[in-house]
Amino acid sequence: MTALTQDPAYNFAYLDEQTKRMIRRAILKAIAVPGYQVPFASREMPMPYGWGTGGVQVTAACLTPDDVLKVIDQGADDTTNAVSIRKFFQRTAGVAATEATADATVIQTRHRIPEVPLHEGQILVYQVPIPEPLRFLEPREAETRKMHELEEYGLMHVKLYEDIARHGQIATSYAYPVKVEGRYVMDPSPIPKFDNPKLGGCPAIQIFGAGREQRIYALPPYTAVVSLDFDDHPFTASKAPHDCDLCGADESYLDEVIIDDAGGRMFVCSDTDFCAGRQTAGHRGRLSPKAAGKGM
Amino acid sequence: MGVIDMTVQNLGLDRPLLTVNTLTKRYGIRIGCADVSFDLFPGEVIGIVGESGSGKSTLLSCLAGHLQPDLGRVTYCGRDVLAMPETERRRLSRTEWAYVHQNPRDGLRMGVSAGGNVGERLMAVGARHYGSIRDTATDWLGRVEIAADRIDERPSAFSGGMQQRLQIARNLVTAPRLVFMDEPTGGLDVSVQARLLDLLRGLVRDLGLSAIIVTHDLAVVRLLADRLMVMKGGRVVEQGLTDQVLDDPQDAYTQLLVSSVLQV
C-alpha cells in the first residue's frame, strides 16, 4: 500500500462539499431504485470525457480518508488511465492505494469486474461511456425515458434478434444488456459479457457513473440481475478458449497479446492483480520465464 | 331471431368498435378538425377524403392518440381512449391497433433488418423464442409478397413499394383489430399502387380488420372503403356509403371533388 499526503490546495477528493453532497443524493436514489438512471449535475473534471469523469466523480463522493483505493483499466492496475486516476486521488485525497482487490474498500474500474470475488463493505465504481442501453436503437432521449417508464423493452430483443440473424448467435460480447430485479433494463457499461454473471448477487455495492451523459445508476448488494436472451438462444458467458500463458488460470478473462510479427500471440489474464497473485503462489503458464526450467 | 343475428350479437359485431363524438382539434385560432362524429363497426372500413389541409391527418392523429384533441370523446370497445392512462394506450397501439404511415421511413426502423422490423411487435408483447419469431416474420413477408430470402436485408435496400408492404406486415403481425392508414399508397407509382391495394383488400377481408383510411385518392376509397367521409376546412361535409357518395354527391365540394378526377 502506498499513501501520499493530500495537496492542501484542494478540497478533500477534489470536488467541493456541495457537489459531493449532490452526487451522494443521486447515488442514494440510484441505490433505492436499482438500475434506474438518475440524472446528476456532472462537473467538469481535470481530464477529458471518456477517461472516466463519471467514475471519478462517484469515487470522489464515496471516498473517506480511511478508504483504500484500487483503480483498474480493462482489469490492469498499471495502464495509463488507472495510473492517472489513482495518482489524482492520492494527491487530492491523500488516501491509501492498493493493487490487491481484497484489501481495497473502493475500486474504480473501467470495463472489468475483478476476478477475486468482492465482499461486503466494498464499493465498485464503473466508468460508463453511454448509460442508455436502448440508445443505438432509439436515438430520442424523451422516447427512451418513456420506454423505461412503461417497461417497453421489446426493442432490446430486436438488437439480440439482429445479432442472431446476422451472425447465427448473440454476437454482443460486451455491454450486454441486463434486467435488474425484473424491472429496469440496464447497460452494465462495456464489461465483457463474461463478467455479467458476477453482477447479480454481488455482496459489494456497484455504482455506475457516466460523466458526459450526466447519469448515475447502481446495483445494491445481492441484487437480482438477469442477462437478456432468447429461449432458444440462451445467454452464455464467453471467454477466449485458452489458459493464461503466465499463470495457467483457466477460469479468468483473457487478453490476447500479439508478441511478434510472425503471428505469435499469447493470452494473459486481463486482471493483473489476480494473475500476479497466482504467479506468487507458484502457478505457471505456457510462456512463464521460469517454466522452461521445469521442462514444460 | 335468426342464426346470423345471434352470431352478430355474440361477437359484439352490432356494437361499434370505435365511437367518435364531436372531436375538435385547434391549432391556435386555426381549426385542425372540428365537430367530427362517427361510429366504426367491427370489420368496417371507413375512408376519409378531402384536399390537402382539410384536417384528415389531424383527425387520424387524434384518433390514434398521437395528438391530444381539444374537445370530444373517442371510445374504443367501451373504453375512453383519451382518458385512459398512457401505459394502456401504448399497449393498445402495439397490440390491437396499428398505424400505417404515409412514408414507410416513419413507420419502419431503417437500421434493422426486415425480419427484425416484423418481429419487433411480437417481441414487444413478450415473444422470446427466436425460431418462432423468425417463422412468423417469414410467413408475413410471404403474405405481403416479399421474397423470404430478403428477410435479413435492411429496408433501405428495398424499393418504395416493398417498404410500404413491409410496414404493413410489421403492423399486422400481431393481428390488430383496428388499423389507421395515412395515405398508404401515397408516393407509389400506379402499377405498384394497384398491387398494394389488391393486397390490402385481401388482408382486410381475410383478417376481418376494421380500418380508417385517410387519402386524397378517390380510387383508393372506392376499392377499399365501405363508408366515406368527405372533409373540407376541418369539417365533415358529407358522409355515407362509398358508392352512394361517389355516384350521387350532394355537397357542392364533393361534386367538385368527384368531377375533378382525371379520366384516362
Side-chain angles (χ1 to χ4, degrees):
Chain A
M1 284 189 207
T2 51
L4 294 174
T5 46
Q6 190 210 343
D7 188 332
Y10 293 102
N11 188 37
F12 178 74
Y14 185 76
L15 293 173
D16 62 279
E17 293 304 312
Q18 286 304 315
T19 299
K20 284 195 273 185
R21 224 175 125 180
M22 173 271 295
I23 295 172
R24 285 173 196 146
R25 259 191 222 127
I27 291 172
L28 287 177
K29 184 169 178 182
I31 288 174
V33 192
Y36 172 70
Q37 298 167 42
V38 183
F40 78 111
S42 177
R43 299 288 193 254
E44 291 286 334
M45 296 303 284
M47 60 181 67
Y49 287 123
W51 279 57
T53 52
V56 163
Q57 288 176 77
V58 171
T59 302
C62 290
L63 275 183
T64 66
D66 304 332
D67 271 320
V68 181
L69 180 69
K70 171 182 165 79
V71 185
I72 50 174
D73 169 10
Q74 306 273 9
D77 288 277
D78 51 3
T79 44
T80 317
N81 194 233
V83 170
S84 63
I85 291 174
R86 184 162 58 233
K87 277 196 178 153
F88 173 77
F89 280 118
Q90 282 178 313
R91 182 171 166 207
T92 59
V95 293
T98 180
E99 294 193 358
T101 304
D103 297 341
T105 53
V106 177
I107 305 172
Q108 180 169 338
T109 175
R110 174 171 175 264
H111 303 186
R112 270 316 304 279
I113 297 176
E115 302 289 352
V116 176
L118 302 175
H119 54 78
E120 283 183 22
Q122 286 183 313
I123 300 176
L124 185 59
V125 179
Y126 295 79
Q127 302 170 197
V128 181
I130 295 168
E132 180 50 71
L134 302 162
R135 176 61 66 241
F136 290 107
L137 295 148
E138 176 53 69
R140 292 168 294 177
E141 173 69 14
E143 182 66 14
T144 53
R145 279 197 220 178
K146 188 65 82 184
M147 291 160 83
H148 282 294
E149 180 193 337
L150 302 176
E151 268 188 90
E152 289 181 2
Y153 290 131
L155 200 53
M156 211 64 251
H157 275 85
V158 173
K159 177 175 153 55
L160 302 179
Y161 170 94
E162 288 290 287
D163 261 7
I164 304 174
R166 211 168 295 159
H167 305 289
Q169 57 176 347
I170 299 179
T172 302
S173 55
Y174 63 95
Y176 193 101
V178 294
K179 194 160 203 180
V180 180
E181 286 289 336
R183 177 59 180 88
Y184 284 101
V185 164
M186 186 187 95
D187 183 338
S189 87
I191 59 170
K193 69 175 168 184
F194 173 81
D195 283 341
N196 266 26
K198 298 185 213 161
L199 289 165
C202 176
I205 297 178
Q206 301 172 75
I207 310 174
F208 300 77
R212 178 173 37 205
E213 303 279 327
Q214 315 198 321
R215 293 290 184 276
I216 287 173
Y217 50 105
L219 297 173
Y222 306 108
T223 306
V225 178
V226 178
S227 303
L228 300 180
D229 58 4
F230 284 105
D231 296 344
D232 48 347
H233 284 83
F235 170 81
T236 48
S238 60
K239 65 177 278 264
H242 297 273
D243 294 345
C244 173
D245 284 333
L246 293 181
C247 74
D250 60 354
E251 76 279 13
S252 68
Y253 191 74
L254 302 174
D255 285 341
E256 186 177 8
V257 184
I258 292 171
I259 48 177
D260 55 34
D261 53 6
R265 55 197 58 201
M266 67 188 290
F267 291 89
V268 292
C269 294
S270 97
D271 186 335
T272 50
D273 168 53
F274 175 78
C275 197
R278 277 180 57 89
Q279 289 179 59
T280 312
H283 295 282
R284 292 289 173 267
R286 185 174 62 94
L287 297 176
S288 295
K290 289 164 203 154
K294 287 184 181 174
M296 272 183 73
Chain B
M1 194 183 274
V3 175
I4 291 179
D5 289 340
M6 274 165 62
T7 316
V8 161
Q9 248 181 17
N10 289 341
L11 293 174
L13 298 180
D14 58 335
R15 288 189 298 276
L17 190 67
L18 189 78
T19 306
V20 180
N21 278 322
T22 60
L23 197 75
T24 302
K25 171 74 186 171
R26 289 172 188 281
Y27 299 108
I29 53 160
R30 296 186 202 291
I31 292 174
C33 61
D35 210 20
V36 179
S37 303
F38 66 91
D39 287 334
L40 177 71
F41 286 86
E44 191 181 32
V45 179
I46 286 189
I48 303 175
V49 294
E51 60 193 5
S52 296
S54 61
K56 310 179 300 262
S57 297
T58 299
L59 175 61
L60 199 69
S61 299
C62 285
L63 295 178
H66 299 170
L67 279 179
Q68 185 70 29
D70 300 319
L71 268 181
R73 274 166 65 92
V74 181
T75 317
Y76 173 77
C77 288
R79 283 175 290 171
D80 188 339
V81 175
L82 304 175
M84 73 172 57
E86 192 176 11
T87 331
E88 205 175 326
R89 193 160 62 231
R90 283 178 69 120
R91 197 183 52 73
L92 261 187
S93 68
R94 62 173 191 268
T95 51
E96 296 190 20
W97 292 1
Y99 195 102
V100 177
H101 292 265
Q102 173 173 10
N103 188 342
R105 281 164 189 276
D106 297 336
L108 291 173
R109 286 191 193 278
M110 298 306 281
V112 169
S113 70
N117 263 295
V118 178
E120 183 183 341
R121 271 171 79 107
L122 294 171
M123 292 181 247
V125 295
R128 292 291 180 264
H129 191 279
Y130 174 80
S132 58
I133 292 169
R134 201 166 168 82
D135 289 346
T136 314
T138 313
D139 175 46
W140 267 96
L141 289 184
R143 288 210 220 179
V144 296
E145 299 167 17
I146 296 175
D149 61 354
R150 305 201 67 173
I151 187 168
D152 291 332
E153 286 180 32
R154 293 186 178 187
S156 47
F158 288 3
S159 68
M162 281 173 79
Q163 287 180 2
Q164 193 58 288
R165 279 176 300 178
L166 180 62
Q167 194 195 176
I168 288 165
R170 168 186 160 87
N171 272 291
L172 298 189
V173 66
T174 47
R177 297 179 67 191
L178 174 58
V179 185
F180 301 100
M181 295 191 212
D182 189 2
E183 306 268 13
T185 58
L188 302 177
D189 64 62
V190 257
S191 58
V192 175
Q193 259 190 37
R195 274 187 40 218
L196 186 71
L197 283 175
D198 203 38
L199 174 77
L200 272 177
R201 194 158 60 153
L203 287 173
V204 165
R205 201 190 303 120
D206 293 347
L207 302 170
L209 295 174
S210 306
I212 299 176
I213 300 177
V214 160
T215 181
H216 57 258
D217 188 343
L218 293 182
V220 170
V221 287
R222 175 77 94 172
L223 273 171
L224 288 177
D226 304 312
R227 282 198 297 139
L228 189 60
M229 282 167 49
V230 184
M231 291 187 72
K232 184 180 193 313
R235 291 174 194 280
V236 176
V237 292
E238 187 167 357
Q239 57 177 318
L241 295 175
T242 303
D243 292 344
Q244 193 184 352
V245 174
L246 292 182
D247 293 343
D248 183 18
Q250 301 295 311
D251 186 83
Y253 173 70
T254 318
Q255 289 168 358
L256 177 71
L257 199 66
V258 171
S259 61
S260 306
V261 174
L262 288 177
Q263 301 294 330
V264 189

